[in-house]
Amino acid sequence: MTLLDGKHIASLIRAELKQQVDQLLADGHRAPKLAVVIVGHNPASETYVNNKIKACAEVGIQAEKVALEADITEADLLQEVQRLNQDPSVDGFIVQLPLPEHINETTILSAIDYRKDVDGLTPENVGRTVQGLPSLVSATPKGIRELLARYNIPTAGRHVVVIGRSNIVGKPVAMLLMQKPYLSLPGMSAASLGDATVTICHSKTQDLAAICRTADIIIVAAGSPKLLTADMVKPGATIIDVGINRVMDGYRLVGDVDFDAVAPKAAYITPVPGGVGPMTIVSLLQNTLQAYQNHKS
Ligand code: NAD
């Protein structure tokens, strides 16, 4: 079994990004800039946002935290989104999810200028990605694809089972891995980019275990600890655990995979923490640099 070390791969990518940003500065250009909007004081969101800002600093991307109170109205938040859309010093921005219940996430995400949408969640970017057009690809799916590519795990012709159908993970990762490899991305072998046969499972799927046993690669994004057990895994499969669950004691994070039982059967497996999480953050940095370059040209 090989551990898919997202923490290590993300640090390599950050070093590559730092070189690119240093070169921009040496050539007399300004640094790229990311803005991160956070609404309210959800402790998990605060941690994610702080990690994103710290990662920006490491590679030389400027970061601005826009902290708004939990009782902000949808109209005022939309106004903030418009301000960031129009601010020429901001290359990309994200609105940290989840938002308070009185705010419609779709309304807010749809208002983001797709050229600054570095989380890749606007309908425009999702649609462009589906059609194989240049786009900012949703951060977690992009990070998963890159992790597979950096470990030379091919997806072409292989059966990928995705558990979860959310707009931020399940649907876009399924679409990305089944695509024809239109794009050639630095550091990726073409074989790793797509062409998979993908099955998407969700809470109403019948006999999930039987479907999983036919998978070469399983991507679990359900938010349910120990959902994937050893009896659901074919020997030699690759397991990508997207889940982040805070367990009873409140401090420990676990994924959706029964890691200790599944790992001995798997050829490759991501740990939680240290697997998909760091890859998501580094994808955000890559997207910010891409948005900056698009903006500049
Ligand atoms: P979500 O709650 O929007 O969707 C969960 C999906 O899982 C749903 O489609 C549901 O049908 C499916 N599901 C739930 N229980 C199931 C079951 N028993 N069998 C089959 N399907 C089941 O979740 P999301 O936003 O996609 O996030 C999923 C998990 O991934 C969460 O734990 C979240 O914290 C984590 N996450 C991690 C990262 C990262 O960077 N590592 C990024 C995004 C989300």
Side-chain angles (χ1 to χ4, degrees):
M1 180 275 291
T2 301
L3 210 57
L4 296 173
D5 189 347
K7 195 172 167 190
H8 173 63
I9 298 295
S11 77
L12 297 180
I13 298 171
R14 282 199 304 276
E16 292 163 16
L17 286 169
K18 183 168 182 349
Q19 267 189 352
Q20 292 176 55
V21 174
D22 285 350
Q23 190 59 52
L24 285 168
L25 299 179
D27 292 344
H29 300 292
R30 67 171 175 83
K33 182 171 170 186
L34 173 75
V36 182
V37 178
I38 177 166
V39 180
H41 300 279
N42 175 330
S45 293
E46 298 262 13
T47 305
Y48 295 142
V49 164
N50 291 339
N51 288 343
K52 288 168 186 176
I53 288 174
K54 200 172 128 219
C56 281
E58 254 183 72
V59 305
I61 291 176
Q62 262 192 291
E64 178 190 339
K65 182 171 171 180
V66 182
L68 303 168
E69 286 307 319
D71 61 357
I72 188 171
T73 63
E74 190 174 286
D76 285 348
L77 183 55
L78 276 173
Q79 212 168 34
E80 194 57 38
V81 167
Q82 291 309 340
R83 179 186 75 75
L84 292 165
N85 280 342
Q86 281 152 22
D87 183 341
S89 76
V90 171
D91 299 293
F93 66 99
I94 65 167
V95 178
Q96 183 67 41
L97 301 178
L99 290 170
E101 274 186 9
H102 66 280
I103 295 178
N104 184 315
E105 284 183 0
T106 307
T107 305
I108 299 301
L109 294 179
S110 302
I112 298 174
D113 182 335
Y114 77 97
R115 292 164 299 190
K116 294 192 175 191
D117 166 32
V118 284
D119 253 348
L121 297 179
T122 58
E124 179 90 30
N125 269 322
V126 174
R128 293 177 70 88
T129 308
V130 169
Q131 295 195 351
L133 298 170
S135 60
L136 292 164
V137 175
S138 175
T140 302
K142 181 179 164 113
I144 292 171
R145 183 178 62 177
E146 182 123 12
L147 192 59
L148 291 170
R150 298 253 175 170
Y151 278 88
N152 282 316
I153 299 169
T155 55
R158 304 184 84 196
H159 185 204
V160 175
V161 169
V162 178
I163 306 177
R165 57 179 163 184
S166 72
N167 286 338
I168 66 169
V169 188
K171 281 191 246 176
V173 79
M175 184 264 307
L176 212 57
L177 295 182
M178 68 85 182
Q179 259 189 340
K180 275 190 179 180
Y182 294 102
L183 309 168
S184 84
L185 301 177
M188 288 191 176
S189 67
S192 301
L193 288 175
D195 277 341
T197 303
V198 180
T199 302
I200 305 180
C201 301
H202 47 76
S203 51
K204 298 288 187 289
T205 296
Q206 294 194 0
D207 207 349
L208 181 65
I211 297 170
C212 288
R213 279 193 289 271
T214 67
D216 302 305
I217 298 173
I218 304 177
I219 299 174
V220 202
S224 177
K226 297 199 178 178
L227 172 63
L228 192 80
T229 49
D231 61 302
M232 299 166 80
V233 173
K234 178 170 83 175
T238 292
I239 311 297
I240 307 289
D241 190 352
V242 186
I244 302 177
N245 308 291
R246 208 167 280 275
V247 285
M248 290 299 275
D249 55 27
Y251 294 104
R252 222 156 37 89
L253 292 182
V254 298
D256 291 349
V257 175
D258 183 358
F259 185 91
D260 292 341
V262 169
K265 278 185 95 173
Y268 297 93
I269 187 165
T270 57
V272 177
V276 175
M279 294 303 296
T280 297
I281 295 184
V282 88
S283 298
L284 177 68
L285 304 183
Q286 289 175 311
N287 277 348
T288 302
L289 186 58
Q290 188 185 327
Y292 167 91
Q293 279 155 346
N294 296 344
H295 185 182
K296 212 154 59 76
S297 59

